[in-house]
Amino acid sequence: MSVAGSEMDSKQPSGAKRQSSSSSSLAPLAKYKLVFLGDQSVGKTSIITRFMYDNFDRHYQATIGIDFLSKTMYLEDRTVRLQLWDTAGQERFRSLIPSYIRDSSVAVVVYDVTNRASFLNTTKWVEDVRAERGNNVVICLVGNKTDLGNDKRQISTEEGEQKAQKDGLLFMECSAKAGYNVKSLFRKLATSLPGSVDPNNGSNGASGGGGAGGSSLIDIKLSASPVNLDDAKQCGC
């Protein structure tokens, strides 16, 4: 099995330049492993690509094995590197995945809001994470392809929220193709990491799915998500 890897750093906010130069030599760069799980074609790669490059590739290619990318995020009092592990959804690669879950900080379990089978299968993905990491991991349930409209929806937002609450998970819906809520998703994940503080309430980490500890997040300059998907000129998946 081969693991494809590449790195891309976000631009450092001007306000953090002096602080970073003086502190970078004092403390090692904190690294956090985020593993993306879910059935084939739910949009795991598209979510990562939207976050990394603010882009969407309309030509779908199934992930073979495991892909790896990383991105630096600049926090108010520290810099962290997110290691994004994109796993294949096909059954034939299932045996490879537990070893990548084992040392993860965050597991992002993705389903397609227009595909009930992919939603039902999130139970097994969450069980796989718990088997490897117990409660020492943040798990976020993510419903993708929200742009396809209510007429194609098979899982309501409320049903997704209820499952997340029942299983003690974070929850978010997004559209990778339109860019809707992708930036917010990674902001939520960042404020759930150890050493982070949720800027909305000042508490450590985020509720439901894992705790963490101590800094405010400086916004990363990505494209803004549309307030509502009707404003997006393109659909998302």
Side-chain angles (χ1 to χ4, degrees):
M1 179 200 69
S2 62
V3 178
S6 65
E7 293 189 359
M8 177 180 179
D9 290 352
S10 58
K11 292 184 177 179
Q12 182 175 0
S14 58
K17 285 182 180 178
R18 289 188 297 275
Q19 179 184 359
S20 177
S21 61
S22 62
S23 62
S24 59
S25 60
L26 301 178
L29 188 66
K31 298 179 181 179
Y32 296 96
K33 180 176 178 179
L34 284 67
V35 60
F36 285 72
L37 307 168
D39 288 1
Q40 184 177 4
S41 303
V42 296
K44 301 182 295 295
T45 301
S46 295
I47 291 172
I48 292 173
T49 301
R50 174 60 73 180
F51 175 63
M52 290 289 298
Y53 309 112
D54 194 17
N55 189 30
F56 179 82
D57 186 355
R58 294 177 179 273
H59 304 289
Y60 171 75
Q61 290 184 330
T63 301
I64 305 299
I66 309 288
D67 282 342
F68 167 82
L69 300 100
S70 69
K71 184 164 185 170
T72 300
M73 293 180 67
Y74 296 93
L75 309 180
E76 194 169 90
D77 63 346
R78 62 179 181 148
T79 302
V80 298
R81 182 172 291 274
L82 301 184
Q83 300 176 332
L84 310 178
W85 294 82
D86 181 14
T87 66
Q90 301 100 308
E91 187 64 33
R92 63 195 174 111
F93 295 114
R94 195 71 179 254
S95 63
L96 304 175
I97 294 175
S99 62
Y100 291 92
I101 297 173
R102 202 159 293 147
D103 58 349
S104 60
S105 300
V106 177
V108 183
V109 180
V110 184
Y111 66 93
D112 175 353
V113 299
T114 69
N115 184 332
R116 177 157 292 276
S118 71
F119 177 71
L120 296 175
N121 288 339
T122 60
T123 297
K124 178 62 174 129
W125 291 108
V126 171
E127 288 174 353
D128 288 350
V129 175
R130 296 294 189 203
E132 296 296 332
R133 299 288 286 126
N135 291 320
N136 298 317
V137 63
V138 176
I139 305 178
C140 186
L141 183 66
V142 177
N144 191 29
K145 306 189 184 182
T146 56
D147 62 286
L148 295 179
N150 290 332
D151 56 330
K152 293 186 178 181
R153 259 190 187 267
Q154 295 184 9
I155 303 93
S156 67
T157 302
E158 292 73 22
E159 186 175 1
E161 288 175 336
Q162 288 169 6
K163 179 175 178 57
Q165 185 175 14
K166 174 178 174 289
D167 295 340
L169 316 175
L170 301 178
F171 177 76
M172 180 77 71
E173 286 189 340
C174 70
S175 169
K177 198 171 190 179
Y180 173 68
N181 258 356
V182 173
K183 186 176 177 181
S184 297
L185 169 63
F186 282 88
R187 182 182 295 113
K188 180 188 283 281
L189 297 177
T191 57
S192 302
L193 293 170
S196 298
V197 172
D198 186 344
N200 293 322
N201 56 28
S203 62
N204 289 343
S207 61
S215 70
S216 299
L217 181 67
I218 290 180
D219 198 15
I220 298 177
K221 302 303 181 184
L222 298 177
S223 63
S225 299
V227 173
N228 103 40
L229 286 174
D230 292 335
D231 297 334
K233 302 270 185 177
Q234 51 187 352
C235 64
C237 62

